[in-house]
Amino acid sequence: MSRDGADPDLERQLRAALRPVDPGAGFVGCVLARVAAERPHGAGPPRWRAAAPWLSLALAASIVLALLVAHQQQLRRTERGLEARRQLIEALRVTGDKLDLASRIVNEQSPRPNSTDPGA
């Protein structure tokens, strides 16, 4: 065992398997020829690059549209909130009027204390 606990034979095998190997003189030429064969000559940029200006324009238009829709929804939400507020104020006013009416009726029907009666 080595100082870090690994098997020295395993380390030797790994070093032998992973040692640098010269690929040979024709390796670079072979790779370049293969790349040239796979890519047609005179081919322009990939299709997605040719469409990039349109894609960016479409993306910008989508973002603007999304912002407009979100703004429109916020306006509707605000309008509904204002309408609910108006209805609540109206309901409170009607309730107040009804309570005033009930209070007047109760006060008119209750017997008034007699000022000459000393009370209990």
Side-chain angles (χ1 to χ4, degrees):
M1 289 264 163
S2 67
R3 65 180 178 259
D4 60 357
D7 183 14
D9 188 43
L10 178 63
E11 283 186 31
R12 199 175 339 11
Q13 289 174 357
L14 284 174
R15 287 184 194 279
L18 297 174
R19 75 181 191 287
V21 177
D22 184 21
F27 179 74
V28 174
C30 182
V31 169
L32 291 176
R34 190 178 212 179
V35 168
E38 289 179 3
R39 184 171 166 191
H41 293 291
R47 288 185 186 178
W48 66 269
R49 280 200 182 162
W54 290 105
L55 289 175
S56 62
L57 181 63
L59 179 62
S62 298
I63 290 171
V64 168
L65 182 63
L67 290 173
L68 287 174
V69 167
H71 180 67
Q72 189 67 23
Q73 288 176 343
Q74 181 63 35
L75 288 177
R76 280 192 213 126
R77 209 173 305 133
T78 302
E79 287 174 5
R80 285 193 309 256
L82 290 173
E83 178 61 22
R85 179 179 181 267
R86 188 195 61 75
Q87 289 176 2
L88 175 63
I89 290 171
E90 179 66 18
L92 290 172
R93 187 192 61 76
V94 169
T95 303
D97 290 348
K98 296 295 182 183
L99 285 173
D100 285 344
L101 177 64
S103 175
R104 271 189 262 127
I105 291 173
V106 166
N107 287 334
E108 288 174 0
Q109 290 178 355
S110 65
R112 294 196 173 123
N114 192 347
S115 60
T116 59
D117 187 17

